[in-house]
Amino acid sequence: MNLPDGRLLKSRVVSDPRYPLAEALDRNLTGYAVLEPQETLLLEGEGRGVVTFRDGVPDLTYATGTERGGPAALGDLAMPGPYHVELYELPDDAFDALDDAAAFRVPPGMPAERLAGDPALAASTRRAAPDARVDAGTGSGAASDGDSDGAESRAPEDRSAVEAFLDDEEKIEAIREQARREAEARAEEWGFD
Amino acid sequence: MVEAFAVASGKGGTGKTTSTLALGMALAESHDVTVVDADTGMANLLFHAGLSEAETTLHDVLSGDATVEESCYERFGMTVVPCGTSLDGFRDADPARLREVVAELAADTDVILLDSAAALSSRSAILPVVLADRVVVVLQPTIPSLSDGIKVQEYASSYGTGVAGLVFNKVRDDDAIGRIAEKSERYFDGPTLATVPASEAAREARRAGRPLLAHAPDSDAAAAFEDAAAAIDVRDGGSEAVADRFRSAVIPDPP
């Protein structure tokens, strides 16, 4: 996915990928967020993810490590933080030139559900989305968005994303390894004795 | 004392407090149960148990202003130790005292359930997982929830705490829960205790300030929690030995 260079608005390290999604919605942002999980090795090398926004609503997603787009990319990016996040602004017409966008499209609330696990943010995002986006979903109709809480979870793609996550033993082992390191570091730091 | 469980998820919104009280009520049919709101930074068990007006809470005990006994309320067949919600109460509370509180409670009860914080980011949030014998991990069938549940288990096992099992909560008919639970079990040291259907009854119970099993005992969700409690094999242990262990709780050597 080739995006034009945007104007950098924010660059920071956050513990939760909810931040760029909520920030984009608050700002009504047209642009994109680049997310780089701390454990970039989990994304097979160059592990960054991009989420584009139109008027604050997520539109397209892409994971550079796996070179996958759409709902699958969200599965690739769902991992423990912290994340380094950059938020960029683009002109309103910047996405018009992307003619191969359909493969990267996600339902509006799905990033909040998948990355942040935040049904309330997902619901707010769906409310902010144009009706056409909510109705159209990914374009195939299979992962269409709904107004009800967590409606996207009913899409077949979502089920397969959760199952694909659980089938990715390497990624889960990396999550476990990181958690073990944190647990041991914190035991020392907080002196559980 | 038999066993102390931390009910944990690593993530908010999974229904930990509903689960804690539901498991507590179900276990209370066969055990003497004490439920403690160990989420001292964001307590909400008091709202679920009709104790929002409670005068003395765990905060008072942790700040040295009240005895453990004064913070105990007999509700719904259990002993309930609510926690306050004020920032001052949180500021003045010494989380390290939770260990002594659990040790004291352990002398007079069979099962302790510690409703834990929805995070692993602070000492007070992790302490219940450290203190418990085993954790019950409350999950939703989503990637963030499963990811955080896996982290909770790793923290638990790093601190020598076992896993009693998994509760999949807020499950919808079409969540393919059978396959997800089966795949999840490969990564957890405990079995799936139950899959609890998403339920309006749980929200209504919360609004009514009553535990789910008291408010809607005939609901599918309540039945699932009964199944979960029945699937927990509460282990027998000597009261004194357990109390001593809490008093001297130490972090085991790194694995």
Side-chain angles (χ1 to χ4, degrees):
Chain A
M1 188 164 67
N2 293 314
L3 286 174
D5 290 337
R7 183 171 74 88
L8 181 64
L9 298 174
K10 297 245 181 180
S11 172
R12 63 175 61 177
V13 173
V14 297
S15 60
D16 190 327
R18 182 185 188 283
Y19 162 78
L21 303 175
E23 184 78 9
L25 186 62
D26 285 349
R27 288 170 171 264
N28 215 21
L29 176 74
T30 291
Y32 58 95
V34 178
L35 294 89
E36 188 166 16
Q38 183 192 47
E39 294 283 312
T40 51
L41 63 122
L42 295 179
L43 280 174
E44 296 165 13
E46 193 204 358
R48 284 177 298 160
V50 178
V51 180
T52 73
F53 301 90
R54 284 194 200 226
D55 298 325
V57 177
D59 188 17
L60 315 172
T61 63
Y62 182 68
T64 59
T66 57
E67 298 185 345
R68 297 202 291 182
L74 294 176
D76 295 335
L77 285 170
M79 58 184 57
Y83 286 73
H84 179 232
V85 172
E86 290 174 333
L87 213 53
Y88 292 90
E89 186 177 44
L90 285 172
D92 287 345
D93 60 358
F95 294 120
D96 294 349
L98 289 176
D99 51 8
D100 58 348
F104 301 101
R105 188 149 286 136
V106 289
M110 190 180 274
E113 293 266 4
R114 293 269 180 87
L115 291 180
D118 188 335
L121 179 61
S124 308
T125 309
R126 280 193 287 271
R127 281 194 296 274
D131 291 344
R133 285 288 321 282
V134 176
D135 294 340
T138 61
S140 66
S144 63
D145 238 356
D147 286 335
S148 62
D149 182 23
E152 290 155 20
S153 303
R154 287 194 269 273
E157 283 87 336
D158 197 40
R159 290 206 296 269
S160 62
V162 175
E163 289 173 47
F165 169 76
L166 290 168
D167 284 336
D168 191 341
E169 292 182 9
E170 203 172 317
K171 184 197 279 188
I172 290 182
E173 184 49 42
I175 291 171
R176 296 173 69 160
E177 177 59 33
Q178 186 186 347
R180 281 196 289 271
R181 284 200 306 269
E182 279 177 20
E184 286 162 22
R186 285 175 174 178
E188 269 183 41
E189 181 185 346
W190 288 324
F192 291 132
D193 56 14
Chain B
M1 172 64 196
V2 180
E3 207 171 3
F5 298 93
V7 181
S9 70
K11 170 161 190 56
T14 57
K16 259 188 318 297
T17 303
T18 293
S19 301
T20 304
L21 286 168
L23 292 172
M25 277 190 71
L27 288 166
E29 291 164 21
S30 52
H31 297 83
D32 190 300
V33 173
T34 300
V35 169
V36 182
D37 192 350
D39 186 358
T40 53
M42 211 177 285
N44 69 344
L45 189 139
L46 74 175
F47 301 120
H48 289 247
L51 286 167
S52 53
E53 305 296 325
E55 275 195 20
T56 306
T57 74
L58 185 63
H59 272 165
D60 302 305
V61 182
L62 296 179
S63 61
D65 294 332
T67 63
V68 173
E69 195 178 350
E70 288 170 324
S71 70
C72 291
Y73 298 82
E74 298 304 318
R75 293 287 188 282
F76 307 104
M78 308 172 281
T79 302
V80 179
V81 180
C83 188
T85 55
S86 78
L87 281 177
D88 286 348
F90 177 62
R91 191 194 57 216
D92 296 339
D94 175 3
R97 287 194 180 159
L98 182 64
R99 178 184 307 146
E100 295 156 35
V101 172
V102 172
E104 191 171 333
L105 291 168
D108 289 324
T109 195
D110 292 340
V111 175
I112 294 178
L113 292 172
L114 302 168
D115 188 15
S116 307
L120 291 168
S121 53
S122 71
R123 187 169 190 252
S124 59
I126 292 173
L127 202 54
V129 173
V130 176
L131 291 179
D133 296 290
R134 290 190 286 169
V135 291
V136 174
V137 187
V138 182
L139 299 165
Q140 285 176 267
T142 66
I143 293 171
S145 175
L146 288 163
S147 169
D148 287 346
I150 288 166
K151 289 179 72 174
V152 166
Q153 157 158 298
E154 294 309 319
Y155 271 73
S157 58
S158 293
Y159 303 146
T161 302
V163 177
L166 317 176
V167 173
F168 281 95
N169 195 22
K170 300 185 179 180
V171 174
R172 287 178 291 265
D173 287 345
D174 39 11
D175 276 338
I177 191 63
R179 291 197 302 274
I180 289 172
E182 190 185 326
K183 287 176 192 287
S184 300
E185 283 180 6
R186 296 202 306 252
Y187 303 108
F188 287 93
D189 297 334
T192 299
L193 300 170
T195 62
V196 182
S199 167
E200 188 57 36
R203 276 188 286 272
E204 287 168 0
R206 159 70 181 80
R207 281 195 287 271
R210 289 160 60 79
L212 175 67
L213 265 63
H215 186 76
D218 299 326
S219 62
D220 291 346
F225 279 117
E226 295 269 8
D227 291 345
I232 297 175
D233 60 323
V234 177
R235 293 169 187 167
D236 217 347
S239 300
E240 277 311 303
V242 175
D244 284 350
R245 184 163 53 72
F246 285 121
R247 289 196 181 95
S248 59
V250 291
I251 295 300
D253 293 326

